[in-house]
C-alpha cells in the first residue's frame, strides 16, 4: 500500500448530462460521437482527482416514467420496471466506461443502487469506503443517476445531480462542472424562448431569486430538468463549492473547464 495516503488535490466533480450523451427524443438513442469526444477531452485534460457522474437521458428516464418508479413501489408490475430502469442505466454506463477505459483512463464504475439508500428520495446512507479507496489509489470513479432503494418508498429514482452535489460536499470538492446541451443557465428555457438570456455569473442570493422561474426539461425527464438540477446544486454552493454550467455538446468546453481555462457558461458562487 506504499504511496497511498499522500495528500491529494481536492476533487473536481464532473456531471455529464443525459441530454449530451443520449438523444432525448428517441428511447435508448445513444450519442456515441459525444461519448467518444468527451472521453477524449477528459483524457487530454488529464485531471488529477476527478469524480464523474452521468445522467440517464433517453435510457433511464422513459422507462422510469413508464413504470412510475420515482413515485415508489405501489404495485407488483413495477418490479420489472425497476429492474429494467437500472439495467438500461448499466448499459449506458457501460458505453461510457468503454470509451474511458479504451483511452487508458483508469475509470471504475460505482453502481449507485448497490451503495446508496434514499429516504423519500434524499440520500440517507452512502457506503463510500470503496469510493474513498479508489480515489486514494488514483482511479476515476464513475457514478450515474439510477433506480435506487428507498426506506419509505420502497424504491425511487436518484438523479445524477443529487449524487454530484452530495459527493462534492462529502469530499469538499474544488468545484462542480455541469455539462448540458445548452450554453448555461438562462432566465427561461432557451430551447422554447428565443429571448432567453444567459447568466454568466450568479451568486446564491441571485440564484434563489430566479429559482422559481427556471424551466424543467422539454424531453422526458422524471427528475425535473434544469429547475431541479439547480435546486440539487444549492447545498454544494452553500458549502462554498462553485458550480460551472457549460455546454458539453460543444467540442472543447469540458476540456477547457477541466483545465480551469476561460469558457462560456454560468458560474454560480456563494457570494
Ligand atoms: P439528464 O437528466 O438526462 O441527465 P441533463 O441533465 O443533461 O439530462 P436536463 O435535465 O434535460 O439535462 O436539463 C437540460 C435542459 O434544460 C436543456 O436542454 C434546456 O432545454 C432545459 N432548460 C429548461 N429551463 C432552462 C433554463 N432556465 N436554462 C437552461 N436550460 C433550461
Ligand atoms: O438523468 C436520472 O438521473 P439524471 C436517472 O441525472 C434515471 O436526472 C434512472 C432516470
Amino acid at each position: 500500500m506504499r504511496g497511498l495516503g499522500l495528500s491529494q488535490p481536492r476533487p473536481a466533480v464532473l456531471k455529464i448530462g443525459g441530454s449530451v450523451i443520449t438523444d432525448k427524443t428517441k428511447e435508448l438513442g445513444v450519442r456515441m460521437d459525444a461519448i467518444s469526444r468527451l472521453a477524449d477531452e477528459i483524457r487530454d485534460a488529464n485531471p488529477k482527482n476527478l469524480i464523474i457522474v452521468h445522467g440517464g437521458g433517453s435510457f433511464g428516464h422513459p422507462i422510469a416514467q413508464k413504470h412510475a418508479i420515482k413515485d415508489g413501489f405501489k404495485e407488483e408490475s413495477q418490479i420489472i420496471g425497476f429492474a429494467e430502469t437500472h439495467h438500461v442505466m448499466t448499459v449506458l454506463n457501460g458505453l461510457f466506461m468503454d470509451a474511458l477505459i479504451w483511452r487508458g483512463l483508469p475509470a471504475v464504475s460505482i453502481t449507485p443502487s448497490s451503495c446508496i439508500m434514499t429516504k423519500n428520495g434524499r440520500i440517507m446512507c452512502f457506503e463510500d469506503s470503496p469510493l474513498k479507496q479508489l480515489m486514494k489509489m488514483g482511479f476515476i470513479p464513475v457514478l450515474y443517476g439510477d433506480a435506487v432503494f428507498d426506506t419509505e418508498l420502497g424504491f425511487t429514482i436518484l438523479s445524477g445531480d443529487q449524487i454530484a452535489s452530495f459527493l462534492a460536499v462529502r469530499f469538499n470538492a474544488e468545484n462542480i462542472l455541469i455539462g448540458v446541451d445548452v450554453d448555461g443557465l438562462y432566465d427561461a428555457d432557451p430551447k422554447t424562448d428565443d429571448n432567453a438570456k444567459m447568466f454568466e455569473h450568479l451568486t446564491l442570493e441571485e440564484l434563489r431569486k430566479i429559482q422559481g422561474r427556471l424551466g424543467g426539461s422539454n424531453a422526458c425527464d422524471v427528475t425535473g430538468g434544469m429547475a431541479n438540477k439547480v435546486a440539487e446544486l444549492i447545498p454544494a454552493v452553500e458549502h462554498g463549492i462553485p458550480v460551472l454550467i457549460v455546454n458539453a455538446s460543444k467540442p472543447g468546453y469540458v476540456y477547457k473547464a477541466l483545465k480551469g481555462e476561460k469558457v462560456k457558461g454560468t458560474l454560480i458562487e456563494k457570494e
Side-chain angles (χ1 to χ4, degrees):
M1 300 289 274
R2 206 151 53 89
L4 294 185
L6 292 177
S7 66
Q8 292 261 14
R10 289 166 68 195
V13 177
L14 170 65
K15 156 86 197 295
I16 297 288
S19 64
V20 179
I21 56 173
T22 75
D23 177 352
K24 283 179 101 161
T25 65
K26 288 194 195 94
E27 196 169 315
L28 302 179
V30 66
R31 291 196 204 274
M32 272 321 295
D33 52 340
I35 291 181
S36 303
R37 175 183 52 76
L38 286 163
D40 283 343
E41 292 187 30
I42 295 166
R43 176 201 56 203
D44 295 346
N46 191 22
K48 288 295 160 274
N49 195 2
L50 181 68
I51 300 172
I52 301 177
V53 182
H54 68 77
S58 66
F59 280 65
H61 289 281
I63 298 171
Q65 185 178 58
K66 187 160 110 198
H67 298 278
I69 302 302
K70 188 162 194 302
D71 303 338
F73 174 73
K74 298 211 167 86
E75 51 183 83
E76 211 60 32
S77 64
Q78 290 174 294
I79 294 282
I80 186 66
F82 178 94
E84 268 183 50
T85 306
H86 169 66
H87 175 64
V88 293
M89 286 310 303
T90 67
V91 172
L92 178 61
N93 177 250
L95 296 170
F96 197 68
M97 298 307 292
D98 272 354
L100 295 171
I101 290 166
W102 287 353
R103 283 163 178 79
L105 289 161
V108 176
S109 177
I110 295 198
T111 302
S113 57
S114 305
C115 60
I116 299 176
M117 288 283 300
T118 55
K119 183 175 182 183
N120 282 319
R122 311 306 306 167
I123 296 175
M124 185 190 81
C125 73
F126 189 152
E127 177 42 67
D128 65 2
S129 318
L131 173 59
K132 278 186 187 148
Q133 178 73 6
L134 66 91
M135 280 166 67
K136 221 175 178 184
M137 296 181 75
F139 292 99
I140 302 175
V142 182
L143 298 95
Y144 46 92
D146 201 3
V148 298
F149 296 100
D150 187 287
T151 54
E152 311 301 301
L153 304 170
F155 50 58
T156 190
I157 296 295
L158 173 62
S159 73
D161 298 308
Q162 189 184 148
I163 296 175
S165 186
F166 178 91
L167 291 178
V169 172
R170 178 160 289 192
F171 295 110
N172 191 25
E174 184 85 44
N175 51 32
I176 304 178
L177 303 174
I178 300 285
V180 284
D181 66 341
V182 289
D183 283 350
L185 185 63
Y186 290 70
D187 59 0
D189 186 344
K191 287 201 184 146
T192 53
D193 185 341
D194 290 341
N195 297 318
K197 282 191 194 58
M198 197 191 94
F199 300 102
E200 283 188 7
H201 186 267
L202 284 169
T203 62
L204 198 48
E205 201 185 332
E206 289 166 340
L207 182 67
R208 287 210 174 100
K209 281 190 194 139
I210 58 151
Q211 219 187 331
R213 286 189 276 134
L214 301 174
S217 171
N218 34 59
C220 166
D221 191 303
V222 299
T223 51
M226 189 54 82
N228 195 59
K229 185 185 301 302
V230 164
E232 290 295 3
L233 294 167
I234 284 179
V237 182
E238 280 172 343
H239 204 81
I241 300 166
V243 173
L244 179 62
I245 304 177
V246 297
N247 194 332
S249 294
K250 290 190 175 166
Y253 280 49
V254 165
Y255 169 83
K256 282 190 183 162
L258 286 173
K259 293 293 274 182
E261 293 174 13
K262 196 168 163 44
V263 61
K264 183 176 180 181
T266 303
L267 177 63
I268 306 168
E269 290 180 299
K270 193 171 179 184
E271 278 155 9

